[in-house]
Amino acid sequence: MRHLTAGQHALLETALQQQLQQLDRRLAEHLGGATRAEHARSVLLQDSDDAPQREAERELDQALGDRDTVALGTLSAALARLRDTEAGRYGLCADCDAEIPFDRLRVEPWALRCVPCQTAQEAGQRA
Ligand SMILES: [Zn+2]
């Protein structure tokens, strides 16, 4: 991260920590919400035939939980890279070693790739 100043480094570390904390709170709320939904389902179970709708809601809960879990891993990994000043991999593109500009890192502090490589990666995933 030679292209990042100490001030930029500190700012990105703070941003990652804040996003991790927000995600932690959201996951906690999500788990609480699932418990409430579970209770509501058990109450409604015997007097309605909207099982397909409840199933869809359950799958939505599951998808949200999975996405947040993935985000938690992504943010944690970014914070670990940022703090590993010895390896110095933070802010360098995983594919081509280009320096990821601070302006991009400020928006996506977990970014692993420069914009051209990220675009290529996403195009490959869609193909
Ligand atoms: Zn790249």
Side-chain angles (χ1 to χ4, degrees):
M1 68 199 83
R2 280 180 289 278
H3 65 299
L4 296 175
T5 68
Q8 289 172 334
H9 187 270
L11 193 146
L12 291 169
E13 184 169 5
T14 304
L16 278 170
Q17 282 172 331
Q18 283 174 349
Q19 283 170 18
L20 267 173
Q21 281 167 10
Q22 280 172 11
L23 200 56
D24 268 346
R25 273 201 296 273
R26 228 177 48 232
L27 278 173
E29 282 168 16
H30 179 74
L31 292 175
T35 306
R36 284 196 300 276
E38 199 65 44
H39 176 68
R41 269 197 290 277
S42 69
V43 170
L44 288 168
L45 203 57
Q46 65 269 52
D47 71 340
S48 76
D49 59 356
D50 60 348
Q53 190 192 336
R54 289 201 303 271
E55 183 66 19
E57 284 170 3
R58 195 188 62 78
E59 282 172 14
L60 186 67
D61 280 351
Q62 188 67 45
L64 274 173
D66 285 350
R67 202 182 59 200
D68 282 347
T69 305
V70 169
L72 201 59
T74 303
L75 288 171
S76 302
L79 198 56
R81 283 200 308 282
L82 185 68
R83 284 171 171 168
D84 190 354
T85 49
E86 209 159 307
R89 289 301 304 170
Y90 183 80
L92 295 179
C93 175
D95 288 352
C96 73
D97 279 352
E99 293 174 350
I100 303 173
F102 176 66
D103 280 347
R104 169 156 164 71
L105 292 171
R106 201 171 43 183
V107 180
E108 290 186 6
W110 57 87
L112 259 179
R113 292 178 178 82
C114 67
V115 170
C117 289
Q118 184 68 44
T119 306
Q121 163 92 4
E122 283 166 9
Q125 280 173 352
R126 272 197 303 272

